[in-house]
């Protein structure tokens, strides 16, 4: 292990020189008519952008409160129709309820009687008391399509939690804010297109909230309060830590723990149980016994306090003692960040957690950063002591030096391959312990496979704090394959001491930015942004990332897409080559040649899937359309597969516990604009733990209740037969074919025949 404080000038110069392509500036044009076209403006909502119906056009979900509509709430589904046109699904679901109401007086014609002031006159009995009757009324209880109500939610993310090929949502619902909801993580399942009575898939699609007992039991601040002490963005991370193909969740907050019946800070790893729900995974071994643990609270068990009495009968409390028995729980913190990251470059996700950890009279409290190394057996061990070796070169490293160097408050720590060398790095923006002013630096991942080497580098980005509950956007808006940065926070940049908006547009290469900083104006180069309400995505289908925000404007609450006007032609990366696969210890290891992004020195990100050819069971890293390669949402870059470093001859992805069978394996390259190549595919036959690779022929892809057949060569006819041999559908390759119902079918294309179960 080693630690370096600065990147060499030679290295930085080489990276800047290699990014020679001159990138375009970025301006935006607001669409102020979208508000009326959708019909439900809102504020207190962060849009979630995704292709929910798999038609290649991005849709939007948002909640919040609509003062324009009498402070009502909806779970709004904005349907992308292409070219910046929108439809919306606003139909609420009602339930009947009975209530006791006063009986109005009526005249001989049945008209309600009013007094001189126009107020209704109600019937009374002989004692002057009002007479009541039972009346059945209706109230809104949700959306007819199943979408929930929610408020804010900067950390809301898309995923395919049950791997059915449809994109789902994990909504970070702040609760309260007139929504009638409580704070919580809300898992929303995409049910796909609704099948009409005629047996064909309709244009509508439905959702359902997954009633998961573990999600419902998590510690929460309470409705209306901030999440994770108002550091919302860093409070949720999604990744597959055990490589079983199902995305897991890391979460952090501070609040009332429903299980312990007390206030506390909380961090939890939620293991996805085969797409059926989640369980809390206490799978964290402490640091080795020869490494002093400065804060044992929650990591080791402690005996109970005991009470004795002195000779005068005065009560004496004897504090409990720490034991050597681990709890195997992850360290509880709040007001920090949780991240999945492959820090030692071995193909298994590790965990980095930061935040404030409580102490007591014997244990040090304060801001911590902990690194949990994945031991590839479903467990982690606390390896924080390995991040910075002791200055005395002793065998034991000083854990507190890690915290004093990189601990911090009111900051964002997020995963990105900042220098695009194929390794995942950590970008920190905010405040840090022992450092004056705001910070913006990156911890470069410089290790070889199985090793951890961190190298700190001060970036050229605008240092700001408070980003975790305002605006933080990291993506490529001008097509130079380097991330741009849109932020709103508190900064001391260029002598400021105030809230400010910062726009850092890459000019190609690392740390080569055009930077604009201005006051709290809710405007990024022409784009409308709202505090805690801003997202991004391609809403008009031109391949460029736009900004989407709800919020408060001169029209009241609003919904405003701001379209990217940068002058560049979006281009997808090349399709990966050199696909291969092998089985080691029951794990399928997929390999491929790295793909260089156009115009820069860097490597692409990767998305990988494996699908059982007999059952159709799917494991996919990030939701994407298998037939076209288009990303179905905007997963954070840390969720993608990295290249694992330029020293590796090939990139790789591991799928654990693969049983014998025939599989289609697909790999695609993805750029920082989220443009993606088609999937390169091979067929892998696993027999007695031995993998045999052969070229793929006909491929079958599911899009909800539709089937897409892909085959090499020109367009070919497709025929679909029932298990009894009766033809039930027909079409051509590359075009969705509607099936009458779920079941087993025989698909014929050219000379090939495959059985598929949907």
């Amino acid at each position: 292990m080693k630690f370096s404080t600065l990147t060499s000038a030679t290295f930085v110069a080489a990276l800047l020189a290699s990014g020679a392509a001159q990138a375009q500036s970025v301006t935006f044009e607001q669409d102020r008519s979208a508000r009326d076209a959708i019909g439900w403006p809102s504020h207190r909502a962060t849009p979630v952008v995704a292709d929910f119906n798999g038609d290649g056009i991005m849709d939007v979900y948002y909640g919040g409160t609509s003062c324009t509509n009498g402070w009502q709430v909806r779970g709004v589904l904005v349907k992308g129709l292409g070219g910046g046109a929108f439809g919306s699904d606003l139909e609420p679901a009602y339930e009947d309820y009975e209530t006791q109401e006063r009986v109005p007086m009526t005249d001989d014609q049945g008209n309600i009687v009013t007094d001189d002031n126009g107020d209704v006159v109600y019937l009374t009995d002989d004692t002057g008391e009002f007479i009541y009757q039972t009346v059945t009324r209706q109230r809104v209880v949700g959306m007819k399509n199943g979408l929930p109500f929610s408020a804010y939610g900067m950390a809301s993310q898309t995923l395919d939690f049950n791997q059915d090929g449809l994109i789902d949502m994990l909504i970070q619902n702040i609760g309260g804010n007139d929504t009638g909801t409580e704070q919580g993580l809300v898992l929303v399942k995409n049910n796909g297109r609704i099948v009409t009575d005629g047996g064909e898939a309709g244009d509508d699609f439905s959702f359902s909230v997954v009633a998961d007992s573990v999600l419902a039991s998590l510690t929460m601040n309470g409705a209306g309060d901030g999440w994770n002490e108002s550091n919302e963005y860093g409070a949720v991370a999604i990744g597959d830590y055990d490589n079983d193909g199902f995305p897991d969740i890391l979460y952090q907050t501070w609040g009332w723990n429903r299980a312990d019946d007390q206030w506390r800070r909380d961090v939890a790893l939620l293991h996805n149980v085969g797409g059926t729900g989640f369980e809390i995974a206490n799978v964290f071994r402490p640091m080795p016994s020869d490494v002093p643990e400065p804060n044992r609270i929650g990591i080791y068990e402690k005996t109970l306090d005991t009470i004795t009495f002195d000779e005068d009968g005065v009560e004496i409390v004897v504090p409990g003692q720490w034991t050597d028995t681990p709890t195997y729980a992850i360290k509880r913190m709040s007001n920090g960040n949780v991240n999945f990251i492959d820090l030692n470059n071995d193909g298994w996700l590790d965990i980095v957690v930061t935040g404030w950890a409580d102490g007591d009279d014997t244990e040090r409290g304060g801001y911590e950063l902990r690194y949990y190394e994945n031991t590839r057996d479903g467990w982690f061990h606390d390896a924080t002591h390995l991040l910075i070796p002791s200055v005395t070169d002793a065998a034991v490293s000083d854990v507190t030096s890690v915290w004093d160097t990189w601990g911090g408050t009111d900051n964002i720590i997020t995963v990105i391959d900042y220098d695009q060398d194929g390794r995942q790095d950590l970008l920190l923006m905010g405040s840090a312990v022992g450092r004056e002013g705001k910070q913006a630096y990156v911890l470069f991942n410089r290790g070889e496979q199985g090793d951890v080497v961190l190298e700190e580098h001060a970036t050229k980005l605008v240092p700001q704090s408070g980003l975790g509950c305002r605006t933080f956007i990291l993506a490529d808006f001008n097509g130079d394959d380097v991330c741009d940065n849109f932020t709103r926070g508190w900064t001391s940049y260029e002598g400021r001491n105030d809230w400010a908006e910062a726009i850092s547009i890459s000019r190609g290469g690392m740390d080569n930015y055009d930077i604009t900083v201005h006051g709290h104006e809710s405007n990024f180069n022409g784009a409308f942004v709202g505090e805690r309400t801003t997202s991004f995505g391609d809403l008009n289908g031109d391949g460029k990332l736009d900004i989407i925000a709800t919020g408060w404007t001169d029209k009241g609450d609003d919904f405003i897409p701001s379209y990217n006007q940068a002058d560049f032609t979006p281009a997808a990366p090349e399709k990966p080559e050199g696909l291969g696969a092998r089985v080691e210890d029951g794990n399928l290891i997929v390999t491929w040649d790295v793909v260089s992004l156009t115009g820069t020195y860097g490597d692409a990100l990767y998305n990988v899937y494996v699908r059982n050819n007999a059952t159709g069971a799917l494991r996919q890293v990030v939701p994407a359309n298998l037939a076209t390669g288009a990303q179905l949402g905007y997963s954070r870059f840390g969720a993608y597969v990295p290249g694992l470093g330029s020293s590796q001859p090939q990139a790789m992805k591991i799928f654990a516990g693969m049983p014998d069978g025939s599989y289609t394996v697909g790999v695609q390259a993805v750029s920082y604009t989220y443009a993606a190549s088609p999937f390169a595919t091979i067929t892998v036959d696993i027999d007695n733990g031995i993998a045999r690779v052969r070229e793929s022929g006909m491929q079958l892809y599911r899009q909800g209740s539709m089937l897409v057949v892909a085959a090499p060569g020109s367009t070919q006819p497709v025929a679909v037969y029932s298990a009894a041999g009766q033809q039930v559908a027909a079409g051509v390759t590359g075009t969705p074919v509607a099936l009458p119902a779920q079941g087993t079918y025989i698909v014929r294309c050219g000379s090939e025949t495959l059985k598929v179960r949907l």
Side-chain angles (χ1 to χ4, degrees):
M1 305 296 160
K2 59 184 177 181
F3 166 70
S4 174
T5 57
L6 294 175
T7 305
S8 70
T10 302
F11 179 76
V12 173
L15 295 184
L16 291 173
S18 60
Q22 290 301 304
Q24 298 294 321
S25 61
V26 180
T27 58
F28 297 88
E29 182 176 313
Q30 297 179 19
D31 178 5
R32 300 303 301 275
S33 64
R35 173 186 190 272
D36 298 324
I38 293 167
W40 197 271
S42 182
H43 64 291
R44 302 171 178 169
T46 303
V48 178
V49 184
D51 182 6
F52 290 114
N53 60 353
D55 64 356
I57 303 172
M58 288 296 171
D59 312 299
V60 182
Y61 158 83
Y62 64 89
T65 310
S66 180
C67 70
T68 305
N69 292 285
W71 297 96
Q72 295 186 74
V73 296
R74 293 288 186 271
V76 181
L77 177 60
V78 178
K79 300 179 179 181
L81 303 178
F86 304 106
S88 59
D89 187 350
L90 301 173
E91 187 173 358
Y94 298 93
E95 71 174 7
D96 292 336
Y97 70 99
E98 291 184 345
T99 182
Q100 296 295 311
E101 297 181 1
R102 298 173 184 174
V103 179
M105 181 182 293
T106 58
D107 59 21
D108 294 340
Q109 286 75 41
N111 300 313
I112 294 177
V113 176
T114 58
D115 60 20
D116 294 341
N117 296 321
D119 297 327
V120 174
V121 177
Y122 294 97
L123 294 177
T124 58
D125 59 20
D126 294 340
T127 65
E129 296 292 328
F130 287 113
I131 298 173
Y132 287 85
Q133 62 182 344
T134 301
V135 179
T136 300
R137 301 290 186 190
Q138 281 192 325
R139 58 190 169 199
V140 175
V141 292
M143 302 303 294
K144 189 174 181 180
N145 60 19
L147 283 172
F149 300 156
S150 65
Y152 295 120
M154 277 187 68
S156 300
Q157 296 175 58
T158 55
L159 73 166
D160 184 0
F161 92 97
N162 59 351
Q163 293 293 16
D164 64 353
L166 299 170
I167 194 163
D168 311 310
M169 290 185 287
L170 183 69
I171 297 174
Q172 181 196 51
N173 180 33
I174 299 300
N177 296 284
D178 306 306
T179 62
T181 63
E182 294 183 355
Q183 191 173 101
L185 287 179
V186 182
L187 181 62
V188 180
K189 179 182 179 295
N190 185 343
N191 299 321
R193 289 177 180 263
I194 298 173
V195 178
T196 64
D197 293 338
E200 295 184 357
D203 291 331
D204 295 330
F205 40 110
S206 70
F207 304 84
S208 56
V209 173
V210 178
D212 185 81
S213 60
V214 170
L215 293 179
S217 71
L218 297 178
T219 299
M220 294 297 156
N221 295 40
D225 295 332
W227 190 300
N228 195 26
E229 298 184 280
S230 293
N231 195 355
E232 300 162 21
Y233 183 90
V236 180
I238 295 174
D240 179 14
Y241 79 88
D242 56 353
N243 283 338
D244 68 348
F246 291 91
D248 309 302
I249 299 170
L250 265 173
Y251 122 103
Q252 181 187 69
T253 197
W254 176 88
W256 185 260
N257 184 267
R258 298 160 185 165
D260 294 352
D261 198 29
Q262 62 179 337
W263 291 93
R264 76 173 193 183
R265 308 179 194 280
D266 204 8
V267 177
L269 172 62
L270 310 181
H271 176 245
N272 188 330
V273 186
T276 62
F278 293 89
E279 61 185 4
I280 294 179
N282 289 326
V283 291
F284 298 90
R285 298 186 178 97
M287 288 181 289
S289 58
D290 60 345
V291 177
E293 169 56 68
N295 190 349
R296 290 169 287 183
I297 296 175
I299 298 175
Y300 289 97
E301 293 184 2
K302 190 177 185 180
T303 61
L304 297 175
D305 294 347
T306 57
I307 298 175
T308 62
F309 298 89
D310 63 15
E311 58 186 13
D312 297 325
V314 177
E315 180 180 290
I316 300 174
V317 177
V318 180
Q321 301 297 309
W322 291 109
T323 72
D324 294 327
T325 304
T327 64
Y328 299 115
I330 193 169
K331 185 66 179 181
R332 295 201 298 265
M333 310 179 202
S334 65
N335 190 28
N337 301 264
V338 291
N339 288 285
F340 287 112
I341 177 172
D342 186 4
L343 201 58
N344 63 353
N345 310 299
D346 66 351
W348 296 78
L349 289 178
D350 310 304
I351 289 174
V352 170
V353 180
T354 67
W356 178 274
D358 288 331
D360 61 17
D361 293 339
T362 61
E363 303 298 300
R364 164 184 165 149
Y367 286 101
E368 297 185 7
L369 181 151
R370 296 214 180 221
Y371 163 53
Y372 293 95
E373 189 173 67
N374 193 324
T375 55
R376 304 184 294 279
D377 57 357
W379 284 76
F380 296 83
H381 74 96
D382 191 333
T384 306
H385 61 293
L386 301 180
L387 294 183
I388 301 181
S390 169
V391 294
T392 62
D393 293 327
V396 177
S397 298
D398 183 7
V399 175
T400 60
S401 67
V402 176
W403 304 345
D404 294 340
T405 304
W406 294 318
T409 175
D410 203 14
N411 60 22
I412 280 179
I413 297 179
T414 192
V415 177
I416 182 174
D417 183 3
Y418 190 81
D419 57 348
Q420 295 185 21
D421 68 347
R423 304 174 179 92
Q424 292 179 328
D425 310 311
L426 284 168
L427 174 65
L428 183 146
M429 300 181 71
S431 302
V433 174
R435 306 192 191 202
E436 294 185 1
K438 310 306 178 185
Q439 304 295 314
Y441 62 83
V442 65
L443 298 180
F444 284 130
N445 181 349
R446 298 289 188 230
E448 300 299 327
Q449 187 169 336
D451 195 13
V452 177
V453 180
L454 298 182
E455 184 175 81
E456 182 180 317
H457 167 71
T459 73
K460 301 298 183 182
L461 296 170
V462 177
Q464 292 171 286
S465 63
L467 303 177
C469 63
R470 286 173 178 83
T471 298
F472 184 81
I473 296 176
L474 195 64
D476 177 15
F477 284 81
N478 62 353
D480 67 350
D481 293 325
V482 180
C483 280
D484 307 301
N485 199 219
F486 297 80
T487 56
R488 183 207 298 265
W490 188 280
T491 186
S492 53
Y493 184 75
E494 294 184 338
R496 292 173 179 267
N497 189 32
D498 199 354
W499 297 107
E501 294 175 345
I503 311 161
S504 302
I505 303 298
S506 168
R507 303 292 293 175
M510 188 181 70
D511 280 339
N512 184 16
Y513 295 105
D514 284 343
I515 294 177
T516 303
V517 180
H518 56 69
H520 199 49
E521 299 171 2
S522 296
N523 190 311
F524 281 150
N525 285 20
F528 173 79
V529 296
E531 187 167 322
R532 301 171 71 185
T533 67
T534 305
S535 299
F536 66 90
D538 178 15
L539 278 195
N540 59 358
D542 65 357
K544 303 173 188 178
L545 294 177
D546 309 308
I547 286 178
I548 309 99
T550 64
W552 199 263
T553 70
D554 56 329
K555 295 183 177 182
D557 40 25
D558 216 333
F559 175 91
I560 302 177
S562 300
Y563 293 114
N564 189 339
Q565 303 298 304
D567 184 17
F568 73 97
T569 301
E574 296 293 325
K575 183 189 297 187
E577 297 181 348
L579 272 65
R582 65 184 187 275
V583 174
E584 292 182 3
D585 300 324
N587 300 322
L588 176 64
I589 301 176
V590 182
T591 57
W592 61 93
D593 297 337
V594 297
V595 175
S596 294
L597 294 172
T598 58
T600 69
Y601 54 86
D603 292 339
L605 303 165
Y606 303 97
N607 188 21
V608 187
Y609 77 85
V610 56
R611 190 189 63 229
N612 188 299
N613 292 328
T615 66
L618 177 70
R619 302 186 187 187
Q620 187 176 20
V621 174
V622 168
N625 186 310
L626 302 189
T628 67
Q631 306 301 278
L632 296 180
Y634 298 97
S635 298
R636 295 183 183 173
F637 294 126
Y640 287 89
V641 178
L644 294 180
S646 57
S647 62
Q648 304 297 323
Q650 287 188 312
M652 72 171 182
K653 166 61 184 169
I654 299 171
F655 293 98
M658 296 294 295
D660 286 354
S662 177
Y663 299 90
T664 297
V665 174
V667 181
Q668 69 173 164
V670 183
S671 76
Y672 291 88
T673 64
Y674 290 89
S677 74
F679 281 96
T681 60
I682 56 174
T683 298
V684 179
D685 298 319
I686 302 178
D687 186 16
N688 292 321
I690 299 175
R692 180 172 63 87
V693 177
R694 55 187 170 91
E695 293 299 321
S696 295
M698 180 171 64
Q699 301 295 323
L700 305 180
Y701 306 96
R702 178 179 177 180
Q703 292 184 11
S705 60
M706 312 286 280
L707 179 71
V708 178
V709 180
S714 59
T715 301
Q716 301 179 50
V718 172
V720 183
Y721 301 86
S722 68
Q726 180 181 7
Q727 184 168 347
V728 295
V732 296
T733 54
T735 302
V737 177
L739 299 179
Q742 292 185 339
T744 300
Y745 297 95
I746 307 298
V747 181
R748 182 169 296 164
C749 176
S751 61
E752 290 194 80
T753 301
L754 286 177
K755 179 187 289 186
V756 59
R757 182 180 302 147
L758 295 177

